[in-house]
Amino acid sequence: MKTGYVELARAQQERWQTAYEQDQNLHGTAPSAAARWTAKLFGAAGIDDVLELGAGQGRDAFYLAKQGFSVHATDFSTSALNRLRLEAQRAGLDDRVTAALHDVRDPLPPADATVGAVYANVLLNMAFSRTELRALVNEIRRVLRPGGLFVYTVWSTQDSCFGRGEDIGDGLYAKDGFAGRFFDLDLVHELADRWELGAADAYEENGHSLWRVTQAKPAPAT
Ligand SMILES: C[S@@+](CC[C@H](N)C(=O)[O-])C[C@H]1O[C@@H](n2cnc3c(N)ncnc32)[C@H](O)[C@@H]1O
């Protein structure tokens, strides 16, 4: 690493904050492909509450709420969350979408085994060390109810951008001030340790190659 993780985290938070201040619809208003797919999965599993991490300005939170889920959306950008709250109010979804500022390097706020499902679109490939990633998935497992589901998407090493940005060390690449990691299947499997790995599906969106990963918190043996 050319800088430490604390400095990198601070720089990333500022970078995202600026990006969201400059663009009211940074990722567009349409839900991601992952959100559409995830709503069907969570619905079929009888889940009604979703904790969304790295929710940005809320395009997926709104979609999930419109499908009937209660969504608690978190992000570390106040600018993104201000926009999310405003839009939730405008759309009359503020009874089903709540929001809180949270850096996923910190422990997750919910108590143990209280959350039905966790969803994170293109968050885990941000500038986290592998230790931070393992701590985050452990936290997600802690807050999920037994049998609860975690769906996440990440950039894949199959993506044409893989290896193209500035190599800043520890498997991270930077471009235009944003830093992140491309996932191979080994990392997906590593993060599924002590989980039931449902599937790791490769897919394409907006010309990028990603993984969509579904894993469940094991229910205790009876
Ligand atoms: C690629 S964007 C995806 C946003 C949203 N999931 C979507 O699909 O529209 C990544 C998001 O992760 C957030 N993020 C990055 N690092 C974070 C951290 N340490 N804690 C919380 N959020 C973080 C950024 O602010 C940004 O909103």
Side-chain angles (χ1 to χ4, degrees), residues 9 12-13 16-17 20 26-28 32 52-60 74-77 80 102-105 119-123 125-128 155:
Q12 289 303 291
Q13 191 169 18
W16 278 106
Q17 183 74 356
Y20 283 128
L26 188 63
H27 304 291
S32 66
E52 183 180 0
L53 306 175
Q57 292 160 324
R59 61 181 178 143
D60 286 352
T74 71
D75 201 282
F76 73 171
S77 163
H102 180 256
D103 186 324
V104 293
R105 290 176 180 83
Y119 170 72
N121 190 52
V122 198
L123 168 73
N125 54 260
M126 298 286 110
F128 303 116
W155 300 330

Side-chain angles (χ1 to χ4, degrees), residues 35-50 64 67-69 117 149:
R36 293 174 187 275
W37 183 89
T38 301
K40 290 190 190 129
L41 176 80
F42 288 173
I47 284 160
D48 50 30
D49 63 302
V50 178
L64 292 171
Q67 308 311 305
F69 300 97
L149 297 176

Side-chain angles (χ1 to χ4, degrees), residues 21-193:
E21 277 163 9
Q22 288 172 347
D23 191 336
Q24 299 276 289
N25 290 307
L26 188 63
H27 304 291
T29 51
S32 66
R36 293 174 187 275
W37 183 89
T38 301
K40 290 190 190 129
L41 176 80
F42 288 173
I47 284 160
D48 50 30
D49 63 302
V50 178
L51 171 63
E52 183 180 0
L53 306 175
Q57 292 160 324
R59 61 181 178 143
D60 286 352
F62 300 145
Y63 178 75
L64 292 171
K66 284 179 192 158
Q67 308 311 305
F69 300 97
S70 289
V71 185
H72 186 58
T74 71
D75 201 282
F76 73 171
S77 163
T78 50
S79 172
L81 291 180
N82 287 343
R83 175 75 182 159
L84 186 156
R85 289 192 186 100
L86 193 68
E87 275 308 303
Q89 251 177 352
R90 274 196 195 140
L93 291 170
D94 44 338
D95 56 337
R96 258 183 275 154
V97 180
T98 55
L101 189 68
H102 180 256
D103 186 324
V104 293
R105 290 176 180 83
D106 297 328
L108 295 176
D112 296 1
T114 53
V115 173
V118 176
Y119 170 72
N121 190 52
V122 198
L123 168 73
L124 271 67
N125 54 260
M126 298 286 110
F128 303 116
S129 69
R130 289 174 83 108
T131 305
E132 287 170 336
L133 282 174
R134 281 192 295 271
L136 173 56
V137 293
N138 283 342
E139 268 298 286
I140 293 168
R141 200 180 61 242
R142 178 185 67 74
V143 302
L144 280 175
R145 290 193 279 272
L149 297 176
F150 174 34
V151 174
Y152 71 90
T153 68
V154 281
W155 300 330
S156 159
T157 49
Q158 299 300 313
D159 191 81
S160 58
C161 292
F162 174 52
R164 285 227 186 136
E166 183 197 354
D167 182 348
I168 58 169
D170 196 25
L172 293 170
Y173 292 85
K175 191 165 181 260
D176 301 330
F178 291 106
R181 177 186 302 282
F182 293 80
F183 276 48
D184 58 19
L185 262 187
D186 285 348
L187 183 51
V188 168
H189 283 280
E190 182 183 327
L191 297 181
D193 185 37

